[in-house]
Amino acid sequence: MKCPLCNRRKGIRHCPALNSLICSLCCGTKRRRTIICPDDCVHLIAGREYQVQRINDFEPLEEIRKLSPDFLNNIEQSIILVRDTRFRNLLDREVKEGLENLLKTIETAERKIIYEYRSTNPRIQIVTDSVKQMIEKQQKGEDGLRPVSVEETKACLMAIIVTLRSLVRQNPESTIYLDFIHRYTQGIIRKSINSLNPPKAGKIIY
């Protein structure tokens, strides 16, 4: 049976959205674009898991995570806070645009020019504002945070932006990076809680 989407390759994956067998290429390239995939689709879940692993291994982000793990984590927490509290359907490209504006503002200030790059899209602007507020706190060393330089700030932002550009180029509706940092930051929080409250012998921690 041929794939009903391309009518060329053999349909080998069951697509719950179409209730039909489709080829793996159409499944991978058209999911969440022309195919309205349900969240529990096994192929969608597997694809996300694969992309998450790719992000974890993405060289710019991997390198900066080694050099500035605390600062990068704080930036990512300020990003995911926007999705968790304001816009549940926030997209990677909106985060990318918000961070690009912030980076341009920082680079412009280095040239002694006071100009703030802003977006007319409130979703993008709120991302910018959230990250900017966190960065300013860390640059000043407030709340016991390690003070960071402008160069370190730019390096962290650029590493995230490069990662997002790659993901958005493949899929403008991507949420892969946001899904990744949600899991990553939640994992750090759980480790922190467990270190403060070590489990008793025989107790299973989920």
Side-chain angles (χ1 to χ4, degrees), residues 93-103 124 127-128:
R93 62 178 166 81
E94 293 172 317
V95 176
K96 176 186 75 71
E97 291 176 36
L99 297 186
E100 285 173 337
N101 283 345
L102 180 55
L103 181 59
I124 294 172
V127 170
T128 303

Side-chain angles (χ1 to χ4, degrees), residues 91-170:
L91 300 174
D92 286 345
R93 62 178 166 81
E94 293 172 317
V95 176
K96 176 186 75 71
E97 291 176 36
L99 297 186
E100 285 173 337
N101 283 345
L102 180 55
L103 181 59
K104 286 190 291 186
T105 297
I106 292 171
E107 291 174 336
T108 301
E110 283 189 296
R111 299 194 296 271
K112 310 299 182 185
I113 300 172
I114 306 302
Y115 182 83
E116 184 177 2
Y117 289 84
R118 299 183 63 85
S119 174
T120 56
N121 183 330
R123 294 159 60 97
I124 294 172
Q125 188 56 45
I126 287 173
V127 170
T128 303
D129 292 341
S130 179
V131 177
K132 180 184 177 184
Q133 183 179 24
M134 190 289 304
I135 287 175
E136 288 177 346
K137 285 180 63 176
Q138 183 134 4
Q139 285 179 334
K140 296 174 184 176
E142 295 180 4
D143 299 333
L145 295 172
R146 174 181 64 84
V148 295
S149 66
V150 173
E151 288 305 314
E152 186 174 354
T153 299
K154 288 163 54 181
C156 280
L157 289 176
M158 197 65 229
I160 299 173
I161 289 169
V162 169
T163 302
L164 287 166
R165 284 174 180 169
S166 176
L167 293 171
V168 171
R169 195 178 303 119
Q170 297 174 49

Side-chain angles (χ1 to χ4, degrees), residues 65 69-87 90 94-95 98-99 102 122-138 145 153 156-157 160 164 177-178 181-182 184-186 188-189:
R65 203 175 294 284
D70 58 327
F71 187 35
L72 181 60
N73 178 58
N74 289 339
I75 291 176
E76 291 179 331
Q77 286 197 44
S78 67
I79 293 170
I80 208 63
L81 183 67
V82 176
R83 188 178 79 165
D84 289 350
T85 62
R86 299 296 298 272
F87 307 112
L90 191 68
E94 293 172 317
V95 176
L99 297 186
L102 180 55
R123 294 159 60 97
I124 294 172
Q125 188 56 45
I126 287 173
V127 170
T128 303
D129 292 341
S130 179
V131 177
K132 180 184 177 184
Q133 183 179 24
M134 190 289 304
I135 287 175
E136 288 177 346
K137 285 180 63 176
Q138 183 134 4
L145 295 172
T153 299
C156 280
L157 289 176
I160 299 173
L164 287 166
Y177 178 70
L178 284 161
I181 62 174
H182 176 77
Y184 190 85
T185 55
Q186 287 299 308
I188 289 176
I189 291 170

